[in-house]
Amino acid sequence: MARHTAEFLRQRSSNMSLRVAAATPASALASSRLSSFANPAEFESTATPTMSEAEKAFVVGELGNRRSVSLCDSCYRDIPEARTDSLRLQLTDNRASCSVCSVMNSKPEVFTEPFCAFLRDNPTIFHAVDYFKAKMTSLGYKELPAREDWTGKVEAGGKYFVTRNGSSTIAFTVGKAYKPGNGVAMIAGHIDALTAKLKPVSKKPTSAGYVQLGVAPYAGALNETWWDRDLSIGGRVIVRDESGKTTSKLVKLDWPIARIPTLAPHFGVGMMGQNNKETQAVPIIGLDGPKPAEPLGAVGSFTATQPPRLVQLISKELGIKDYSQIVNWELELFDLQPATVGGIDKEFIFAGRIDDKLCSWAAFQGLLASEQKDDDGTIKMVALFDDEEIGSLLRQGAKGNFLPSVIERTVESLCSKEKPFGPGVIGQTYASSFLVSADVTHAVNPNFVSRYLDDHAPRLNVGIVICADSNGHMTTDSVSTAILTRVCELGGCTSQTFQIRNDSRSGGTVGPSISSALGVRAADAGMPQLSMHSIRATCGALDPGLGVKFFKAFLDKYEQVDAEWE
């Protein structure tokens, strides 16, 4: 599209107004993005423009995925035409109805559909991390490869992210007024979910004419909620091309190819948890043909150990013609039924993998939406880990060195001769920091109210839940509770409280291991859900947005709250 000159804009700016633009058909909106308040001189600069708050909110709220968007005059002028030229725009002089202003004001309802879309489009942990990377890059975050020297690459006012294993990521911003030794406002969560992973040798002999798939439960998967579900397959495939270069490619199938069938009650075999996961929870993926399928690949090759038709299918999805290029894969089953809103007033979200894509996604969005003021002196950080459901012991888990390594390398890069890097600066940093261990918690179930403590029964669509445990399974104490309560006051958030009954078993989070390893103050807080560890769960339709609002408030207000303490 032609670039308007300053003189051209001056000649027409006097008669431009929001009301005229509002009366203009949507197809004509592309002719100009200026109101009468526009300064034509601003359009003569050839420097790369800084992303405006309106444009950032447009990206954070994923408004580009909508069919139509309402924009006030200010937001309309501040968002580049390339982001909206395919949308049906509705101009308004009421900021309360502006889609972008709603994101900037953290209105919970604007995050419902983006969260559902995230769940639908990213069924595996590898897809989730890839989503986070793409969104961060679109907002100007720079990747810091772990193998490279970070000296001179991290600076005050910058935005960065690091990944490990393609299944964990840490993103952070450095305050413009940051000084070495200042604290880190950090949120840690997990993005792994209960699943069933393909075994190293997933090919099984046909049984009664069925082609079956060898899978193993990850954490508590293959429980009774996995029976009779429409299951598909996704994950990452390790590929070596003709030149010998090895890469990782993501794959997901968009139709159900697997099912774990129940046995009809007429046979007198119970189907509610008494079944053998090795022999009675084996997925069927097809019927055998008149001739047994021949292995694809030489004896001893990876593809020779996998179901031939599955190898063919995955190869076709990735455009691979030589099956020997598949060196290995990490594939898993996932429930294909999409996330959706439900309830009489659509007040629920029904979905798989809510634990814990809910808090992780909300914390991530909170970071992307957080403010970057000139007097910000802290590092704002969100760490999303793998392997929480199985103990966090692997290198991409919370008990690995990923988080302290990123913090310490960041501080090292920001140090100077006047404030050299060393144990003193790191000790000062951790002493000034705070961790929110963000994981979903239990919403009250109306059919089992007696299993909850009085006044410790969180409700959906209300707000963040501060979680406590007398035996140290949670990090929360009186100090950290007071800090989060103050954050809620400043951020306009409503908090709830949860603790398990004495005759029930508490779950665990990444909080205790991280806070004890770093020595930082910490609290456990998360959004509530029903049916935890079921293949399908329920949260409130407003809960993703309420989570975004709280996590953004924590990142933006922690420095102020910390300064209130003696």
Side-chain angles (χ1 to χ4, degrees), residues 493-525:
C493 303
T494 300
S495 64
Q496 306 182 79
T497 302
F498 178 77
Q499 182 167 308
I500 202 78
R501 284 168 52 105
N502 293 342
D503 54 1
S504 298
R505 181 179 63 88
S506 174
T509 70
V510 300
S513 57
I514 294 176
S515 62
S516 61
L518 304 185
V520 298
R521 294 166 296 170
D524 271 275

Side-chain angles (χ1 to χ4, degrees), residues 202-206 211-213 285 291-297 302-316 323 326 329:
S202 66
K203 181 176 68 175
K204 296 181 69 66
T206 58
V211 179
Q212 294 183 286
L213 187 66
I285 60 173
K291 294 182 180 180
E294 295 294 328
L296 299 179
F302 174 75
T303 52
T305 65
Q306 310 302 316
R309 286 154 65 186
L310 180 60
V311 173
Q312 292 173 331
L313 182 57
I314 297 298
S315 298
K316 182 180 179 180
Y323 303 134
I326 298 179
W329 60 35

Side-chain angles (χ1 to χ4, degrees), residues 161-449:
F161 70 93
V162 193
T163 65
R164 178 175 285 189
N165 188 50
S167 61
S168 293
T169 185
I170 295 176
F172 61 97
T173 63
V174 182
K176 296 179 181 180
Y178 174 83
K179 302 294 182 185
N182 287 5
V184 182
M186 67 185 94
I187 304 168
H190 72 94
I191 40 178
D192 60 315
L194 273 62
T195 187
K197 298 189 175 186
L198 271 64
K199 293 179 177 178
V201 179
S202 66
K203 181 176 68 175
K204 296 181 69 66
T206 58
S207 176
Y210 292 98
V211 179
Q212 294 183 286
L213 187 66
V215 298
Y218 175 86
L222 295 185
N223 59 42
E224 55 271 19
T225 66
W226 282 68
W227 298 80
D228 295 331
R229 299 296 304 177
D230 294 341
L231 304 176
S232 193
I233 288 178
R236 69 177 175 185
V237 181
I238 309 302
V239 179
R240 182 178 297 122
D241 62 22
E242 296 86 348
S243 67
K245 183 179 180 180
T246 304
T247 57
S248 175
K249 296 177 181 272
L250 300 187
V251 65
K252 60 180 178 180
L253 305 182
D254 60 4
W255 74 96
I257 72 164
R259 197 173 184 88
I260 303 172
T262 55
L263 187 65
H266 309 74
F267 291 91
V269 178
M271 301 303 298
M272 295 303 292
Q274 300 89 0
N275 308 96
N276 189 305
K277 293 184 179 182
E278 179 63 34
T279 61
Q280 297 175 320
V282 184
I284 57 173
I285 60 173
L287 298 173
D288 61 358
K291 294 182 180 180
E294 295 294 328
L296 299 179
V299 176
S301 66
F302 174 75
T303 52
T305 65
Q306 310 302 316
R309 286 154 65 186
L310 180 60
V311 173
Q312 292 173 331
L313 182 57
I314 297 298
S315 298
K316 182 180 179 180
E317 288 291 311
L318 296 177
I320 297 173
K321 296 182 179 179
D322 182 356
Y323 303 134
S324 66
Q325 291 182 357
I326 298 179
V327 178
N328 212 304
W329 60 35
E330 286 178 77
L331 300 180
E332 64 187 56
L333 300 180
F334 63 88
D335 182 66
L336 189 64
Q337 185 176 348
T340 184
V341 293
I344 292 178
D345 295 317
K346 297 184 177 179
E347 58 264 71
F348 302 125
I349 292 175
F350 305 139
R353 303 172 292 280
I354 285 179
D355 180 6
D356 185 21
K357 299 296 193 295
L358 175 56
C359 291
S360 293
W361 184 86
F364 174 78
Q365 301 295 333
L367 175 65
L368 298 185
S370 63
E371 301 170 353
Q372 288 184 287
K373 296 181 178 179
D374 291 339
D375 59 351
D376 283 346
T378 62
I379 295 173
K380 301 175 182 179
M381 179 176 288
V382 171
L384 306 180
F385 294 102
D386 192 0
D387 299 323
E388 187 274 344
E389 296 289 1
I390 56 172
S392 300
L393 290 171
L394 303 182
R395 72 184 186 95
Q396 58 269 21
K399 293 182 181 178
N401 73 336
F402 190 24
L403 180 57
S405 173
V406 169
I407 293 174
E408 291 166 18
R409 292 184 68 180
T410 298
V411 173
E412 180 184 27
S413 182
L414 291 163
C415 282
S416 62
K417 292 182 180 179
E418 293 75 20
K419 186 86 170 184
F421 179 76
V425 169
I426 290 301
Q428 186 180 2
T429 298
Y430 289 145
S432 303
S433 299
F434 192 96
L435 166 71
V436 174
S437 170
D439 203 348
V440 289
T441 191
H442 303 285
V444 62
N445 187 318
N447 298 323
F448 299 92
V449 174

